[in-house]
Amino acid sequence: MMGWRHVIIEGDLSGPMNHHPPSTAVGRALTVVLGVMPFAVLTVLVFEHWAPLARWDQSVAARAATYGAAHEGLIDFWQVVGAVVLPWTSRAVIAIVAAYLWHRRARLLTFWLLTSAAAELVLVQVVKAVFERPRPVPMLGEASGFSYVSGHAAAAFVMAGALGVVLPSVRGWRRRFRLLVLLPVIAVVWIASADRIALNVHYVSDVLGGWALGLAILTATSIGFGLRPGLRRRRRRTAVESDGTTAPPRAAVIVNPIKVGDGVAFRRKVTRALAVRGYEDPLWLETREDDAGNAMAKAAIEYASDLVLVAGGDGTVRVVCSALAHTGIPVGVIPAGTGNLLARNLHIPLDLDDALERILEGRDRRIDLVGVHGDDLDNDRYAVMAGLGLDAAIISGAPPHLKKQIGWTAYLVSAAKNVNHPSVRVQITIDEAEPIERRVRTVVVGNVGMLQANIPLLPDARPDDGLLDVVVIAPRRVTQWPIVLWRLMTRTNRSDMYLERFTGHRVEIHAAVDVQRQLDGDPIGPGRYLITEIEPGALTARVPKRR
């Protein structure tokens, strides 16, 4: 129940390099059947009066009635417990969590939670009305209606299972804090169920039926909403085939064909490098103009990849990394774009042969990602930097043909054109501190710190420190830019009116007027605000070994 993970169904894929994984329709149908099967089997056994189950029910009910009659104080205790762990209490917890997720703009999980709670409320009453099972005699507590299934047990199970899905998806919740929440919730399931048996208002099979109905509800609704229940896949290299040999690992390669010049030669090199290291023939996926890598990353997940290689610009890398967040699947970045900022900051060489060797012989490193949203921007993630103001204007203004011909130096041409970019008044809020107001040329919120040509924009930024680094650049005149550049290149930590740095876990930037914005070197259009929040350890990156 607690091992569920959120996996979105892959999108449609096409293109000459695509090798489609097997259809997942059968897998989803099988998952639904397995989720519903315990409830179906138990229901048949109960109402066919299977002798071992019937004897167990009667034996436990008789003992509860006898023991309760001799210990009235204990019955009073369980009646108080029953008043606390009502089904409506569990539903209220789900509603509160749903409201929190709505505030965090997690719309899909919000609707899934509310639908699961509503389904539990309705189906428990339907099952009771259909089967009309009498309650045990004598009851030691007050209860109305029929016995099968236990509404307390079903509601508590749905609450616990739903939180088991939701908490791993909530940004910023560390594993220890999740356990502090989940362990008491699991305890509530047991207490609510034990209360029903101790008060002799339900048979043991009624409680088990409540759990099984809860499992069926969670399975059906999660599949319906595109969430997939199931334990996180283990690395395939640990699997053992029927003949006793170790199954070869799998790799998926996601390629932006515009950024990779000679696709045939590239494919040959990557396939050979993987084969030498014992991998199966890789799954090849090309990005499309309307999808920079999201559907391809989902296909790589469904393929049960042990490693995902992504070759493209910073935009392709960002989309793929966002989709693979919290999956545990290692991502190896093969530099193929203009900036290659994530690769540079992870010390991956820009030469293809060298990069392949260093990645495939490398180690796995957990790094942070950054959740972001803003006006006219859906919930998204980035791995490198987000900016508002001059830096985004430079990126937007870089001529595409120059980027293709001369690489990142095309940004210097755009910078020269935008050197007198107007300043803008912004309000910056970091964590729970009081907002600060500045008139700035640009504000950058980074997960890593190095730009092209090894310019240390955020010298203290580390991809795995659980912090966001912020730089505010605000020269008043063009003649003050040399001062700013000098302080950047010399890594000066002193703050003044020209350059300030901050750190935090959540950063909100609100501009007085619409300004250009960018995520990892991709322009995302003008707007007035960006809200960013660190997701510690969200991505497993394949990086070179330490030397």
Side-chain angles (χ1 to χ4, degrees):
M1 172 170 61
M2 294 297 106
W4 294 20
R5 291 295 183 269
H6 180 181
V7 178
I8 302 175
I9 300 170
E10 80 280 6
D12 177 55
L13 302 176
S14 62
M17 293 177 67
N18 288 345
H19 173 68
H20 293 266
S23 171
T24 59
V26 175
R28 295 188 194 103
L30 181 61
T31 301
V32 172
V33 169
L34 293 177
V36 175
M37 186 66 71
F39 176 72
V41 171
L42 182 61
T43 301
V44 170
L45 294 179
V46 168
F47 292 100
E48 288 296 324
H49 306 290
W50 188 51
L53 183 59
R55 286 196 298 269
W56 189 26
D57 279 343
Q58 295 298 332
S59 173
V60 173
R63 292 179 183 178
T66 302
Y67 190 83
H71 299 82
E72 294 184 0
L74 187 61
I75 296 304
D76 292 338
F77 166 77
W78 283 114
Q79 286 179 334
V80 172
V81 171
V84 174
V85 293
L86 290 169
W88 283 109
T89 303
S90 297
R91 296 165 193 152
V93 171
I94 289 178
I96 292 170
V97 175
Y100 170 75
L101 291 174
W102 182 268
H103 174 70
R104 297 290 293 269
R105 294 176 173 81
R107 304 294 193 241
L108 181 69
L109 288 177
T110 300
F111 288 123
W112 174 72
L113 278 178
L114 296 177
T115 300
S116 298
E120 177 271 318
L121 173 61
V122 172
L123 289 178
V124 165
Q125 301 307 316
V126 169
V127 171
K128 286 179 179 289
V130 168
F131 294 104
E132 297 184 345
R133 187 186 197 186
R135 292 184 182 271
V137 178
M139 292 192 301
L140 304 178
E142 294 184 0
S144 58
F146 298 105
S147 183
Y148 188 83
V149 292
S150 169
H152 286 67
F157 190 98
V158 169
M159 174 192 68
L163 293 183
V165 175
V166 167
L167 290 187
S169 302
V170 176
R171 295 177 299 185
W173 284 40
R174 294 187 181 273
R175 186 178 301 274
R176 287 176 295 177
F177 185 66
R178 295 174 192 165
L179 291 177
L180 288 176
V181 175
L182 289 178
L183 291 179
V185 168
I186 297 172
V188 167
V189 177
W190 287 98
I191 292 170
S193 303
D195 168 77
R196 300 292 86 192
I197 296 172
L199 292 176
N200 210 34
V201 297
H202 282 294
Y203 294 107
V204 173
S205 58
D206 298 331
V207 169
L208 296 178
W211 291 0
L213 180 61
L215 175 62
I217 290 169
L218 290 171
T219 302
T221 56
S222 63
I223 292 295
F225 276 81
L227 312 180
R228 184 172 179 179
L231 293 176
R232 179 177 290 178
R233 302 178 188 269
R234 290 182 179 269
R235 300 286 297 277
R236 289 186 59 91
R237 70 184 72 238
T238 63
V240 177
E241 298 193 351
S242 57
D243 61 358
T245 61
T246 302
R250 289 181 169 186
V253 186
I254 300 175
V255 180
N256 182 337
I258 297 175
K259 299 293 184 179
V260 176
D262 189 344
V264 175
F266 175 84
R267 180 167 182 163
R268 188 186 305 116
K269 283 187 177 183
V270 173
T271 301
R272 185 186 302 116
L274 289 168
V276 166
R277 292 162 179 86
Y279 282 80
E280 294 181 4
D281 287 342
L283 170 68
W284 286 88
L285 302 163
E286 278 191 352
T287 64
R288 304 189 304 260
E289 186 175 353
D290 62 338
D291 189 337
N294 186 64
M296 297 78 202
K298 298 302 186 294
I301 294 171
E302 291 294 330
Y303 185 64
S305 303
D306 296 286
L307 174 66
V308 174
L309 299 176
V310 53
D314 289 320
T316 301
V317 171
R318 176 180 65 83
V319 173
V320 171
C321 289
S322 176
L324 291 173
H326 306 291
T327 64
I329 300 174
V331 180
V333 180
I334 301 176
T338 305
N340 300 308
L341 286 181
L342 183 59
R344 293 172 189 266
N345 280 273
L346 295 179
H347 308 294
I348 296 172
L350 300 185
D351 175 75
L352 173 59
D353 293 324
D354 197 7
L356 277 173
E357 180 179 356
R358 299 286 294 278
I359 291 171
L360 297 180
E361 299 292 340
R363 61 188 177 92
D364 291 343
R365 178 185 180 187
R366 297 293 294 271
I367 67 171
D368 308 331
L369 292 178
V370 186
V372 60
H373 64 270
D375 45 334
D376 298 323
L377 175 66
D378 294 333
N379 287 352
D380 208 339
R381 294 186 178 96
Y382 66 89
V384 180
M385 298 176 189
L388 180 152
L390 174 61
D391 72 307
I394 292 173
I395 289 169
S396 300
H401 67 281
L402 283 183
K403 290 169 63 177
K404 186 174 182 179
Q405 292 173 1
I406 62 176
W408 66 267
T409 51
Y411 293 130
L412 298 179
V413 177
S414 182
K417 294 179 180 178
N418 287 278
V419 68
N420 207 24
H421 188 275
S423 60
V424 61
R425 184 164 295 281
V426 299
Q427 183 182 80
I428 304 170
T429 304
I430 300 177
D431 294 336
E432 303 300 323
E434 289 295 319
I436 60 174
E437 292 192 0
R438 297 287 189 273
R439 178 169 288 278
V440 306
R441 300 283 182 168
T442 192
V443 181
V444 175
V445 183
N447 185 41
V448 297
M450 301 300 290
L451 298 177
Q452 296 91 342
N454 292 324
I455 297 174
L457 181 65
L458 298 163
D460 296 325
R462 300 292 181 271
D464 55 1
D465 61 1
L467 290 172
L468 293 171
D469 287 70
V470 185
V471 61
V472 179
I473 299 176
R476 301 293 177 85
R477 297 182 298 275
V478 174
T479 55
Q480 294 169 345
W481 272 110
I483 300 175
V484 173
L485 294 175
W486 173 256
R487 291 182 180 170
L488 286 175
M489 297 306 297
T490 58
R491 308 190 182 201
T492 302
N493 287 322
R494 178 170 60 89
S495 294
D496 56 27
M497 61 185 295
Y498 306 132
L499 189 148
E500 294 179 279
R501 291 192 174 95
F502 307 92
T503 59
H505 300 90
R506 177 183 170 89
V507 179
E508 299 185 21
I509 309 169
H510 290 259
V513 297
D514 285 352
V515 290
Q516 292 291 338
R517 301 170 300 174
Q518 61 88 11
L519 297 181
D520 284 2
D522 270 356
I524 57 173
R528 296 201 176 192
Y529 73 89
L530 286 175
I531 299 176
T532 62
E533 186 169 357
I534 197 73
E535 295 185 27
L539 183 73
T540 302
R542 180 64 60 84
V543 300
K545 290 181 178 179
R546 296 187 181 95
R547 290 185 173 180

